[in-house]
Amino acid sequence: MKYTLRLDEKTYHLLKGVARLRGASAVIAGVTLRLLLNCGKFLKDELNNLYYFREDEKRVYEVSDKSEEFEGLLYDLTGLNSKTQSLKEAVALRHGEEVSVYRDFHYDKERGILYVYLQNGEYLTLDGEKVEIWPNGANGIYFTRNSLVEPLKYIPPKKREKIEILRQIEEQRGDGNLFIQAVYNRTSYDPNSELSIRQQRDLLALYYYSVPFGDFLTTVPILSLVGEKGSAKTTCVRFFGRMLYGTKFDVTSVDSNAQGERDFVAMLAKIGHS
């Protein structure tokens, strides 16, 4: 269902008269707010960050002057651009339902459930025994879209095609599930380490498996891959990232100087607001 703004002649003249008394921007904001509330609802988290949940799309938009997606939504609904649109965040705050809004993953420790957003208006729940698919917003769980992640599709085990993973290291060939075989069994390990090849592989797997639990961990582990050039360090991280976030994911280098440090901080800030 798609909502658009349609005014009959009587309403148009009424708004025109009110506009002369209150100012056109106030009227536009009021009408737009009513339309948005008909199409969905406003949300706010514990930090008073504002979001808008559009019911027909099952999608959460960040309400911000910097949010191009929300501006696009306003234009789609009203035909107004950001310069003529005077919907204020303070207005949305008064109508915002207090909820927690997540991004990509969320782990509920008390219930033992991991939530994974598919970036397509649906999320998965995993409790260790079964996997269920829910529309975004169901059960009070809201996810905001991550523009850096491609939409995912969940395929039940019985419908998955048999895949042969090539170029696995000989010591671990065929061992583990497809994820283990595709990422960890194709990574080079140090044969002279105090840890065995299997232990090194499992330690790397433990790091990757911790990624969805980032909002639960009190201390976030940092991965450090050390090795000679050509030992597949970059390939390992790139392949993992593309399996998790899609083909747009890539690995970039950072210069080890002051400018490189500033570039790294700027990159983290950009990721945090995407």
Side-chain angles (χ1 to χ4, degrees):
M1 182 181 297
K2 183 177 180 180
Y3 297 89
T4 54
L5 187 60
R6 294 288 185 270
L7 301 178
D8 56 39
E9 185 176 358
K10 181 178 180 181
T11 304
Y12 170 78
H13 288 293
L14 175 62
L15 290 176
K16 189 175 180 180
V18 174
R20 284 196 289 265
L21 297 175
R22 299 179 56 198
S25 61
V27 175
I28 292 174
V31 173
T32 302
L33 177 62
R34 180 173 297 180
L35 178 62
L36 289 172
L37 291 175
N38 285 336
C39 301
K41 58 184 175 181
F42 287 99
L43 311 171
K44 59 182 178 180
D45 60 21
E46 60 275 6
L47 298 178
N48 270 345
N49 294 315
L50 299 173
Y51 305 89
Y52 176 72
F53 178 67
R54 185 168 177 176
E55 184 66 41
D56 59 337
E57 293 182 345
K58 303 299 181 185
R59 182 172 177 180
V60 175
Y61 293 83
E62 180 184 359
V63 179
S64 168
D65 293 337
K66 299 179 180 180
S67 175
E68 295 182 358
E69 292 183 343
F70 185 68
E71 288 188 2
L73 171 66
L74 292 179
Y75 184 82
D76 181 43
L77 291 175
T78 67
L80 300 173
N81 58 43
S82 59
K83 293 181 180 180
T84 60
Q85 181 54 257
S86 60
L87 178 69
K88 302 297 183 181
E89 292 188 5
V91 176
L93 270 174
R94 293 200 298 269
H95 296 271
E97 175 185 338
E98 293 190 10
V99 299
S100 294
V101 179
Y102 308 104
R103 174 174 160 174
D104 300 341
F105 309 101
H106 168 60
Y107 179 64
D108 187 329
K109 179 182 178 181
E110 294 182 356
R111 301 179 62 193
I113 296 178
L114 176 65
Y115 299 85
V116 180
Y117 188 45
L118 298 178
Q119 310 294 334
N120 63 358
E122 296 179 327
Y123 66 81
L124 302 178
T125 59
L126 299 87
D127 62 3
E129 296 182 357
K130 63 182 181 301
V131 178
E132 295 181 341
I133 302 179
W134 296 88
N136 194 18
N139 308 309
I141 300 296
Y142 295 91
F143 283 93
T144 183
R145 178 82 166 85
N146 186 344
S147 61
L148 300 178
V149 182
E150 295 179 6
L152 305 173
K153 180 181 180 181
Y154 173 70
I155 302 176
K158 294 182 179 180
K159 295 184 179 181
R160 297 173 190 171
E161 298 180 2
K162 187 175 181 180
I163 301 175
E164 180 183 1
I165 305 299
L166 304 177
R167 298 195 299 276
Q168 298 183 55
I169 58 177
E170 193 60 38
E171 295 90 336
Q172 302 296 332
R173 183 180 302 276
D175 182 60
N177 57 35
L178 286 178
F179 188 56
I180 291 288
Q181 293 182 39
V183 180
Y184 315 116
N185 289 2
R186 302 168 72 188
T187 300
S188 300
Y189 300 99
D190 183 4
N192 300 317
S193 171
E194 294 183 2
L195 299 177
S196 67
I197 298 295
R198 176 64 179 267
Q199 289 173 328
Q200 293 177 66
R201 187 200 71 170
D202 291 348
L203 185 61
L204 180 62
L206 183 62
Y207 167 78
Y208 284 142
Y209 281 134
S210 73
V211 170
F213 300 90
D215 60 352
F216 167 70
L217 299 175
T218 55
T219 301
V220 179
I222 298 177
L223 176 65
S224 177
L225 299 179
V226 181
E228 299 177 355
K229 184 177 181 180
S231 57
K233 302 183 300 297
T234 300
T235 301
C236 173
V237 177
R238 179 184 290 121
F239 196 74
F240 168 73
R242 290 184 177 179
M243 288 188 67
L244 193 62
Y245 298 113
T247 57
K248 294 181 181 179
F249 179 90
D250 205 352
V251 180
T252 185
S253 61
V254 178
D255 294 333
S256 58
N257 52 29
Q259 182 59 46
E261 182 177 346
R262 288 192 292 269
D263 292 343
F264 180 69
V265 172
M267 179 180 62
L268 292 180
K270 180 179 179 181
I271 293 175
H273 289 87
S274 299

